[in-house]
């Protein structure tokens, strides 16, 4: 590789070294079919391992949700959704015919709340519920004298029942230091009780579990619920026999046969046995809140993709082959390159705008990232577009290995001769908004499982999955309770 010291100030020489360097970096981001297959295979191994062993890196968390909705569920439930940029309070009416009505309000979660004492965060959540109820009012579900609330908490928790779970560790930039180990349902209930808000939290679900439940409710059945947003993760229905690490009891009754598992695939291969991490991923990891954790997520999700692209861009700047060696305050700031800017650049490429003159990429570089116009050449515009494309493409191809790994593990990818559809519910900003995400994921899926199988996979956006999923969780918990059928680990 040409080093910074040896790169000559003459334009021709810079052109050549840029091209070499870019080729070399792009090669590190390119995943061959063999690599995809290797990753997918490792998924199966880690799934089996995590189902058998408590405390595995990829934790495979039992959710105590023991079946999937068929669309006939009815009732009115509140939902609290915490896990990304905002928290949401919702009221969800399940109408029993695959449809629902939702009223919701978003409340911003400040950085101080994300990283301060956990009591402050939960007090703010209770306050938001109070504001929501004051504004919207709501009705209790049939036969209940208090409002029931499902809690979508999109972080890894060790659950012991459907309404109990201790936080294992934070992800996605949250870091209240005194929270790990605490029961998050208890924290929310205490905060509500303190304010005399008559709401009972009766279910705890991860957003992926919520997405799976929502997609099942809408379509009558789904195999996988996946989030590609600020973070990434997946949930699927597992046979209890295979969840060797827990014994499930249900108060003397014939026990359930299946349980939804929250895989926490963001932690896939933290050991980096097969994960093709680059020096840029190492940079992102080293400067993140939690090192050597959720490495797969750091290569895929909306919170980190911009940071990966930023790492590549800074590297080329420091080697004097991009922007004539000049950076900007925003580009020098951690997380200064928002993944939404990558979406804008991908859309600019799609618009077919030339690199010269004004175009979306140049606007992002000068207006959003604060680079000086005279430092942004046409070649620089082309270079940045290429970086964005290969970082975004790798994310989609890695995502495909998680999807394929799950479908293979559950035995749903093999054609049983009926050509049945394999229904996957997805949610999250990347899935919804990032150009070509699904298309690129599909190309990789085809590499892994073949064209026939890939065609049978149907991705459906489970919009509002976290809110509706919490309500479906609350409905499932109510059903377990009324049937005297509380399912717990022992
Ligand atoms: C992170 C969390 C996980 C969540 C995912 C998507 O990976 O650990 O629980 O499902 O983000 O929000």
């Amino acid at each position: 590789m040409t080093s910074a010291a040896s790169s000559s100030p003459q334009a021709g020489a810079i052109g050549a070294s840029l091209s070499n360097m870019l080729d070399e970096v792009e090669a590190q981001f390119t995943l061959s079919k063999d690599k995809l297959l290797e990753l997918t295979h490792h998924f199966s191994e880690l799934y089996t391992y995590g189902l058998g062993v408590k405390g595995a890196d990829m934790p495979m968390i039992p959710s105590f949700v023991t079946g999937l909705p068929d669309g006939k569920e009815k009732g009115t439930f509140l939902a609290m959704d915490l896990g990304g940029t905002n928290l949401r309070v919702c009221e969800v009416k399940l109408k029993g015919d695959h449809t629902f009505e939702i009223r919701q309000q978003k409340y911003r979660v400040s950085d101080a709340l994300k990283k301060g004492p956990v009591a402050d965060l939960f007090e703010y959540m209770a306050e938001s519920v109070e504001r929501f109820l004051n504004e919207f009012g709501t009705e209790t579900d049939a036969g209940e004298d208090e409002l029931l609330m499902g809690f979508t908490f999109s972080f890894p928790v060790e659950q012991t029942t459907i309404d109990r779970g201790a936080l294992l560790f934070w992800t996605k930039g949250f870091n209240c230091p005194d929270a790990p180990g605490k029961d998050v349902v208890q924290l929310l209930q205490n905060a509500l009780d303190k304010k005399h808000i008559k709401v009972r939290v009766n279910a705890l679900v991860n957003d992926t579990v919520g997405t799976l439940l929502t997609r099942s409710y809408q379509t009558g059945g789904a195999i996988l619920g996946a989030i590609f947003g600020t973070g990434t993760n997946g949930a699927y229905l597992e046979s209890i026999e295979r969840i060797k690490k827990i014994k499930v009891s249900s108060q003397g009754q014939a026990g359930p046969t299946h349980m939804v598992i929250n895989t926490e695939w963001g932690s896939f291969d933290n050991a980096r046995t097969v994960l093709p991490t680059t020096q840029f991923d190492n940079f992102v990891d080293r400067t993140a809140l939690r090192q050597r954790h959720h490495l797969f997520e750091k290569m895929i999700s909306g919170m980190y993709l911009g940071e990966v692209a930023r790492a590549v861009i800074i590297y080329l700047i420091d080697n004097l082959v991009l922007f004539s060696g000049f950076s900007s305050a925003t580009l020098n700031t951690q997380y200064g390159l928002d993944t939404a800017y990558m979406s804008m650049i991908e859309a600019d490429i799609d618009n077919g705008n030339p690199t010269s003159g004004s175009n979306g990429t140049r606007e992002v570089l000068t207006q959003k990232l604060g680079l000086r116009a005279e430092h942004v050449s046409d070649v620089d515009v082309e270079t940045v577009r290429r970086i964005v494309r290969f970082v975004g493409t790798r994310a989609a191809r890695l995502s495909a290995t998680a999807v394929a790994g799950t479908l293979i593990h559950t035995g749903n990818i093999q054609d049983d001769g009926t050509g049945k559809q394999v229904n996957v519910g997805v949610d999250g900003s990347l899935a919804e908004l990032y150009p070509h995400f699904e298309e690129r994921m599909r190309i990789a899926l085809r590499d892994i499982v073949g064209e026939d199988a890939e065609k049978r996979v149907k991705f459906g956006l489970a919009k509002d999955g976290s809110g509706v999923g919490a309500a479906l969780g609350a409905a499932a918990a109510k059903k377990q309770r009324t049937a005297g059928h509380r399912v717990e680990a022992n």
Side-chain angles (χ1 to χ4, degrees), residues 154-156 171-172 206-208 227 231-233 264 294 297:
S154 307
F155 301 95
T171 51
K172 298 177 289 194
N206 185 263
D207 53 353
T208 52
I227 302 283
T232 182
N233 189 11
E264 289 293 332
H294 262 40
E297 174 162 284

Side-chain angles (χ1 to χ4, degrees), residues 124-431:
Y124 178 70
M125 288 158 74
E127 236 168 69
S128 307
V129 175
E130 192 167 41
R131 272 157 66 188
F132 181 89
L133 293 177
N134 287 342
E135 199 169 327
F136 293 96
T138 187
E139 60 195 73
T140 52
D141 192 37
E144 299 289 338
D145 48 16
E146 55 193 343
L147 291 164
L148 296 181
M149 175 181 260
F151 182 14
T152 300
F153 182 71
S154 307
F155 301 95
V157 291
E158 180 82 65
Q159 283 195 236
T160 44
T161 60
I162 197 168
D163 60 357
R164 213 170 287 159
L167 174 65
L168 287 168
F169 53 86
W170 289 112
T171 51
K172 298 177 289 194
F174 278 69
N175 200 26
C176 305
D178 55 339
K182 291 198 172 132
D183 183 335
V184 292
V185 173
Q186 205 60 57
L187 286 174
L188 181 57
Q189 191 65 61
N190 289 347
L192 291 165
D193 291 350
K194 242 181 167 169
K195 291 192 177 304
H196 307 290
I197 303 170
K198 295 228 161 314
V199 168
R200 189 159 57 80
V201 187
N202 75 331
L204 173 66
V205 293
N206 185 263
D207 53 353
T208 52
V209 178
T211 301
L212 177 67
L213 298 182
T214 304
R215 195 66 195 154
S216 285
Y217 176 78
Q218 289 173 319
T219 61
I223 304 299
L224 166 66
I227 302 283
F228 301 105
T230 310
T232 182
N233 189 11
Y236 71 97
L237 192 66
E238 182 59 278
S239 145
I240 283 182
E241 270 181 9
R242 294 213 285 185
I243 316 176
K244 303 239 184 289
K245 64 183 169 185
I246 55 163
K247 284 210 167 12
V248 175
S249 79
S250 53
Q251 294 155 348
Q253 316 237 3
T257 55
H258 287 78
M259 188 178 286
V260 174
I261 292 287
N262 162 21
T263 64
E264 289 293 332
W265 71 37
S267 268
F268 167 73
D269 198 24
N270 279 343
R272 291 185 282 190
T273 318
V274 294
L275 203 60
T277 44
T278 64
Q279 67 183 91
F280 309 102
D281 301 302
N282 292 338
F283 168 84
V284 172
D285 183 46
R286 189 164 284 130
T287 47
L289 269 178
R290 285 179 64 84
Q291 285 91 49
R292 307 190 70 125
H293 254 266
H294 262 40
L295 289 179
F296 189 65
E297 174 162 284
K298 287 174 182 149
M299 298 165 88
I300 291 180
S301 77
M303 166 136 189
Y304 304 100
L305 270 196
E307 188 64 357
V308 177
R310 189 180 78 88
V312 176
I313 288 174
I314 298 263
Y315 168 76
L316 294 179
I317 291 176
D318 288 349
N319 278 282
L320 306 180
V321 294
L322 191 61
F323 309 136
S324 312
F326 288 92
S327 189
S328 69
T330 311
L331 254 187
N332 289 342
T333 306
Q334 191 185 22
Y335 301 115
L337 200 167
D338 199 304
T339 304
Y341 302 159
M342 293 175 66
S343 289
M344 292 176 197
I345 292 172
E346 295 258 14
D348 183 42
I349 304 172
D350 289 348
N351 286 338
N353 288 331
T355 45
S356 58
S358 73
N359 58 54
T361 310
R362 199 176 284 276
E363 270 169 29
V364 169
L365 294 174
T366 54
Q367 292 169 22
K368 306 278 187 206
L369 297 177
L371 287 154
R372 289 173 54 171
E374 66 268 29
H375 292 151
V376 182
S377 69
D378 292 353
V379 175
D380 293 339
V381 168
E382 182 54 39
T383 303
V384 169
R385 286 181 178 177
R386 188 167 151 196
I387 294 168
V388 165
R389 228 177 305 147
F390 64 65
V391 172
T393 301
R394 185 187 66 162
R397 288 173 74 76
L398 284 173
S399 303
T401 66
V403 172
T406 315
L407 299 183
I408 293 169
H409 174 83
T410 55
N412 277 292
I413 204 67
Q414 294 80 357
D415 191 356
D416 57 5
T418 62
K420 69 168 189 271
Q421 271 197 349
V422 181
N423 211 338
V424 176
V426 292
D427 200 2
S429 47
L430 282 184

Side-chain angles (χ1 to χ4, degrees), residues 36-58:
L36 295 178
L37 289 170
E38 189 185 16
L39 288 161
T40 308
H41 178 67
H42 199 44
F43 256 101
S44 306
E45 292 172 339
L46 292 186
Y47 269 23
T48 308
Y49 180 75
L51 290 172
V53 176
K54 280 192 182 165
D57 265 359
M58 187 166 78

